[in-house]
């Protein structure tokens, strides 16, 4: 198996864009990714493409992958649409890595897109709900905010996690998102703002929930055989891990963890031959504030039950021991379902390239991205490392 590298990544803005289409958003992300490659890359270099998309609103569900790659000039490039709920483009990145590792491709595009702002709130809830367990959750009226509220309630009861801990996640991520020009909710909020917002599903309030978003993101993955053409300072895909689980929360043994994330983390750390202590930053899936706290524990950033103390300590803030969601996360940057995982990779690329602007981590060597589908039916993790620093 060959070594694999990330040589470029880019995204559109995230938000509500009535004048844009899913094709135009994808074009913006694709062109940003291509232009980010240090030594240049041409569309004709791309051998394979993988595109994540849920198909919110019913637009172009069949063949949505080729619909966007053809639009950006990748005529004839084999394109696969990947659907794994909110983890769709995270798994698209994984498939691109597998294709390049195996020798099927030397250069692969991994991306994703979603348009979510052009529907009523009821329609949006419906399309979000299709990624939950249909028979016993969605058709009984359970929403994703309701499912994550159950997870939050159990974690609070078991470990003493508080509403303030949830609110501190929002404050941190809004602070980071305010430094990200692509963020949908790019403004800061106070702890009092996050404490006093209207309740959505007790104990979660509005500031504990991510927005629905339009947006697209793309990453470019290449083999060790051609990486020198594209960059003089390679970023290696050091580890990849994935896991799946029961789609319904009620089907699992624990409400206070995401086993798919734990399995994915174990595989990624083993493949990269690192531990959580070796990471300099992480982008984790914070669709709801409790999801970030669960990720701290599931990914080994702290012991079980200690996520509240970790957020309270400031360790995951920009400038802390392990900055988490420097992009603003789903909470502030936004959550266009099919683009989210690839968008996390965009932030990893910017951080490791030193191009993250005001939110730049100090001289990072290694970072992790963590993308979850639904309430934990699927999870995928990538670990990226700056090869020049690792080998120094």
């Amino acid at each position: 198996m060959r070594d694999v590298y990330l040589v470029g990544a880019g995204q559109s803005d995230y938000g509500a864009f009535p004048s844009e289409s899913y094709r135009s958003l994808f074009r913006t992300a694709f062109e940003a990714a291509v232009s980010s490659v240090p030594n240049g890359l041409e569309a004709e270099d791309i051998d394979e493409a993988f595109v994540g998309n849920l198909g919110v609103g019913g637009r172009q569900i069949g063949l949505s992958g080729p619909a966007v790659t053809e639009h950006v000039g990748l005529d004839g490039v084999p394109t696969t649409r990947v659907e794994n709920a909110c983890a769709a483009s995270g798994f698209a990145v994984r498939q691109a890595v597998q294709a390049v590792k195996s020798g099927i491709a030397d250069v692969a595009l991994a991306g994703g897109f979603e348009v979510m702002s052009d529907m009523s709130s009821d329609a949006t809830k419906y399309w979000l709900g299709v990624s939950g367990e249909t028979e016993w959750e969605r058709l009984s009226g359970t929403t994703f905010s309701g499912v994550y509220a159950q997870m939050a309630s159990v974690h609070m009861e078991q470990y003493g996690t508080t509403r303030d801990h949830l609110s501190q996640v929002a404050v941190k991520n809004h602070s980071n998102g305010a430094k990200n020009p692509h963020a949908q909710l790019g403004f800061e909020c106070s702890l009092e703002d996050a404490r006093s917002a209207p309740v959505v599903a007790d104990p979660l309030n509005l500031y504990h929930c991510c927005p629905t978003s339009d947006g697209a993101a793309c990453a470019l993955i290449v083999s060790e055989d051609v990486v020198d053409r594209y960059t003089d300072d390679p970023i290696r895909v050091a580890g990849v891990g994935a896991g799946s689980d029961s789609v319904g929360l009620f089907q699992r043994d624990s409400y206070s963890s995401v086993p798919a994330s734990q399995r994915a983390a174990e595989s990624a750390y083993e493949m990269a031959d690192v531990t959580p202590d070796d990471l300099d930053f992480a982008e984790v899936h914070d669709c709801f504030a409790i999801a970030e706290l669960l990720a701290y524990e599931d990914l080994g950033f702290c012991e079980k039950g200690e996520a509240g103390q970790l957020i309270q300590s400031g360790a995951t803030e920009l400038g802390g021991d392990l900055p988490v969601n420097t992009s603003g996360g789903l909470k502030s940057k936004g959550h266009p379902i099919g683009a989210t995982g690839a968008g996390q990779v965009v932030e990893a690329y910017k951080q490791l390239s030193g191009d993250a602007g005001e939110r730049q981590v100090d001289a990072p060597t290694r970072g992790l991205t963590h993308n979850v589908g639904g309430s934990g039916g699927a999870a995928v993790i990538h670990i990226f490392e700056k090869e020049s620093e690792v080998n120094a």
Side-chain angles (χ1 to χ4, degrees):
M1 289 286 190
R2 302 185 295 179
D3 273 341
V4 177
Y5 296 86
L6 173 67
V7 296
Q11 65 169 91
S12 70
D13 291 342
Y14 288 179
F17 307 112
S19 63
E20 299 279 3
S21 69
Y22 70 94
R23 286 185 168 104
S24 66
L25 289 167
F26 191 84
R27 175 181 287 279
T28 297
F30 175 76
E31 291 177 349
V34 169
S35 67
S36 75
V37 179
N39 297 344
L41 182 146
E42 301 297 328
E44 52 264 32
D45 295 346
I46 296 171
D47 302 311
E48 193 95 14
F50 302 90
V51 179
N53 176 243
L54 179 64
V56 168
R59 64 180 58 71
Q60 196 55 51
I61 293 177
L63 296 175
S64 59
V68 293
T69 54
E70 177 274 333
H71 182 69
V72 300
L74 301 184
D75 303 311
V77 172
T79 300
T80 303
R81 175 202 173 203
V82 180
E83 187 283 299
N84 235 356
C86 314
S89 61
F91 274 86
V93 174
R94 178 175 181 261
Q95 289 192 223
V97 169
Q98 290 175 323
V100 174
K101 268 190 171 296
S102 70
I104 290 175
D106 272 321
V107 180
L109 169 70
F113 67 89
E114 210 74 64
V115 174
M116 305 176 68
S117 69
D118 60 348
M119 298 175 290
S120 69
S121 60
D122 285 344
T124 301
K125 288 175 186 175
Y126 171 84
W127 282 101
L128 287 170
V130 300
S131 299
E133 200 282 330
T134 298
E135 188 173 7
W136 296 103
E137 286 183 346
R138 184 164 67 87
L139 294 183
S140 65
T142 303
T143 63
F144 270 120
S145 55
V147 169
Y148 276 93
Q150 293 176 63
M151 299 166 86
S153 296
V154 171
H155 202 274
M156 293 166 79
E157 181 179 343
Q158 288 181 336
Y159 303 113
T161 307
T162 67
R163 285 176 171 81
D164 268 8
H165 293 142
L166 299 173
S167 296
Q168 285 164 350
V169 171
V171 172
K172 172 182 68 69
N173 291 352
H174 272 279
S175 177
N176 294 342
K179 301 175 179 68
N180 186 348
H182 295 300
Q184 178 174 1
L185 304 180
F187 54 84
E188 295 189 6
C189 73
S190 68
L191 185 58
E192 184 54 36
D193 291 333
R195 282 173 173 157
S196 59
V199 172
V200 174
D202 191 51
L204 302 178
N205 68 34
L206 188 62
Y207 268 95
H208 303 151
C209 307
C210 73
T212 55
S213 315
D214 305 340
C218 289
L220 292 159
I221 307 295
V222 308
S223 75
E224 63 182 18
D225 297 331
V226 300
V227 66
D228 291 344
R229 296 182 199 168
Y230 302 110
T231 181
D232 301 319
D233 194 8
I235 296 170
R236 189 168 74 96
V237 185
V240 182
S244 295
D245 203 350
S246 301
V247 173
L249 178 62
F250 72 94
Q251 297 169 303
R252 299 184 210 143
D253 293 333
S254 172
Y255 277 30
S256 59
S257 66
V258 178
S261 293
Q262 295 171 345
R263 297 183 191 111
E266 289 171 6
S267 297
Y269 290 141
E270 181 178 0
M271 182 177 176
D273 193 24
V274 299
T275 72
D277 291 338
D278 296 312
L279 301 174
D280 297 307
F281 65 89
E283 287 287 300
V284 307
H285 197 92
D286 63 319
C287 48
F288 300 91
I290 185 60
E292 178 164 327
L293 297 181
L294 296 182
Y296 292 173
E297 298 172 4
D298 292 334
L299 307 185
F301 300 166
C302 65
E303 295 299 319
K304 185 67 180 170
E306 294 182 359
Q309 295 96 299
L310 187 64
I311 185 68
Q312 190 168 330
S313 75
T316 58
E317 294 177 5
L318 200 61
D321 291 340
L322 179 61
V324 174
N325 286 335
T326 57
S327 70
L330 285 63
K331 175 65 198 74
S332 174
K333 182 184 177 183
H335 183 28
I337 289 176
T340 291
Q344 293 176 323
V345 174
V346 173
E347 182 68 10
Y349 181 73
K350 288 183 177 181
Q351 288 289 349
L352 291 170
S353 300
D355 293 330
E358 291 182 77
R359 63 188 190 281
Q360 180 65 51
V361 173
D362 184 28
T365 297
R366 193 176 285 112
L368 172 150
T369 64
H370 161 251
N371 190 199
V372 175
S375 63
V380 60
I381 287 173
H382 294 87
I383 296 172
F384 302 93
E385 62 183 26
K386 197 165 185 179
E387 196 166 66
S388 60
E389 299 297 327
V390 172
N391 295 333

